[in-house]
Amino acid sequence: MRRYVIKPLAQAVGVLWAAYTVSFLVLQYLPGDPVSAMAGAGADSGQIDPAQLAALRHQYGFDKPVPVQYADHLGRAVLGDFGDSVSTGRPVTSTLAEALPQTLQLTGAALLLAVLLGGGLAVVATCTTRRWLRQLLLSLPPLGVSVPTFWVGLMLVELFSFRVRLFPAFGNDGLRGLVLPALTLAVPTGALVAQVLAKSLFTALDQAYVETARAKGAGRLRIHLRHALRNASLPALTIVGLLAGQLIAGSVVVETVFSRDGLGRVTAAAVTVQDIPLVQGVVVFGALIFVAANLLVDLVYPLLDPRIVVAAGRKVSPV
């Protein structure tokens, strides 16, 4: 079990380092000057006292060579210090901590809805004996994946806010204000879960152990839920782990459409003014969510199939 856990941990550290390094290099070589933007000069830094600009660059370390900046910022980031926001002057960690609860609430609700809706659709589609119903249900996931997220959000607002007036269209208005944004994020995610789980269920239902269960008199629903679903859920669980990080990225669009406070709006504002420390903090946090979700998935695997740990512990014999 120790060998099985060490490898994902090492990969998680590598992903975090790569996310920080790539974001640092990309932001460093983007056109524009964040210090000039902060000072109010925009694209023409000549309108501001050069001494003032030089003092600001020195304050934020932008006057140092890029390798020195990278080593300095990386050393502080390892300790959880991403510096101060260029646009607001506040610590990046404080800014993220304030926006984090709303975004986690949104992405958590969206992930729960995606698993319930996608998993339920896949189980019903593979369990039903009516061919027309199976074909109808299996045609929904490709449609859900192909539809843009912002379009889903706008249609939900038009239908359930402006016409039916059931949910608020904008803001962070408690549970009612969470329904439409979470559903917007859940549609493409749930569609992917349904696609993968349905395919895995069809494969599992063709296995010999399912025929044995049928021969023993097990009903169709019992075979689905007790025998096939446990083995078929492994690929779908992998997809859920991968999509957990993407939900953070999707929150940028959804929080903008629904005018919600959270990491999405913080990210959009930081990118607009080229706030390098704040953008890097958001990128690393998104990577952290991604690796944490995948590490959790790796730890859940042995509970569903103990053979995974046994296989990981075997040493490959030389040929």
Side-chain angles (χ1 to χ4, degrees):
M1 185 66 182
R2 183 180 302 175
R3 182 179 300 177
Y4 176 78
V5 173
I6 289 176
K7 184 177 179 180
L9 283 174
Q11 291 175 341
V13 173
V15 169
L16 290 175
W17 171 79
Y20 183 88
T21 301
V22 172
S23 64
F24 178 86
L25 294 176
V26 169
L27 291 170
Q28 283 290 331
Y29 293 104
L30 280 178
D33 184 2
V35 174
S36 296
M38 178 182 64
D44 185 8
S45 60
Q47 298 177 5
I48 297 295
D49 184 5
Q52 181 183 359
L53 290 177
L56 287 174
R57 290 192 179 93
H58 178 74
Q59 177 183 347
Y60 287 95
F62 293 142
D63 57 339
K64 300 178 182 178
V66 173
V68 176
Q69 291 186 47
Y70 173 75
D72 182 40
H73 293 172
L74 180 60
R76 289 187 298 167
V78 171
L79 301 177
D81 180 12
F82 291 91
D84 296 332
S85 168
V86 174
S87 58
T88 65
R90 299 182 56 210
V92 171
T93 51
S94 300
T95 304
L96 297 181
E98 289 183 2
L100 180 60
Q102 294 294 336
T103 299
L104 287 184
Q105 186 183 50
L106 172 61
T107 55
L111 188 60
L112 178 61
L113 283 174
V115 171
L116 293 177
L117 296 176
L121 190 149
V123 170
V124 173
T126 55
C127 188
T128 183
T129 57
R130 294 178 173 83
R131 185 173 181 179
W132 67 268
L133 180 58
R134 180 187 300 114
Q135 295 298 327
L136 175 63
L137 294 177
L138 292 179
S139 66
L140 295 179
L143 180 62
V145 172
S146 61
V147 174
T149 303
F150 73 89
W151 186 86
V152 174
L154 293 176
M155 291 301 101
L156 290 176
V157 168
E158 173 67 22
L159 179 59
F160 293 104
S161 296
F162 297 153
R163 296 193 180 185
V164 181
R165 300 184 182 277
L166 188 60
F167 300 106
F170 309 107
N172 300 60
D173 187 16
L175 183 60
R176 293 180 65 249
L178 183 65
V179 173
L180 294 185
L183 189 58
T184 302
L185 270 180
V187 167
T189 306
L192 286 172
V193 172
Q195 280 185 314
V196 174
L197 184 57
K199 184 176 180 179
S200 299
L201 277 170
F202 281 128
T203 301
L205 290 171
D206 290 333
Q207 301 301 314
Y209 66 85
V210 172
E211 295 298 330
T212 302
R214 290 196 184 102
K216 291 181 178 180
R220 190 178 187 87
L221 186 61
R222 179 183 176 87
I223 290 174
H224 256 74
L225 299 181
R226 184 167 182 177
H227 297 279
L229 184 60
R230 179 173 180 177
N231 293 308
S233 61
L234 291 177
L237 189 62
T238 303
I239 290 295
V240 170
L242 294 174
L243 294 176
Q246 293 186 7
L247 288 176
I248 299 294
S251 68
V252 176
V253 176
V254 172
E255 288 177 355
T256 301
V257 170
F258 289 92
S259 298
R260 290 180 58 89
D261 296 327
L263 284 179
R265 298 189 72 181
V266 168
T267 303
V271 171
T272 301
V273 298
Q274 201 176 336
D275 192 336
I276 294 177
L278 187 53
V279 173
Q280 278 196 288
V282 173
V283 170
V284 173
F285 176 76
L288 180 62
I289 294 294
F290 174 81
V291 298
N294 282 272
L295 183 60
L296 180 61
V297 168
D298 288 336
L299 295 178
V300 171
Y301 273 167
L303 301 178
L304 298 175
D305 191 350
R307 295 173 298 177
I308 294 176
V309 177
V310 176
R314 291 175 181 171
K315 293 183 178 180
V316 180
S317 302
V319 179

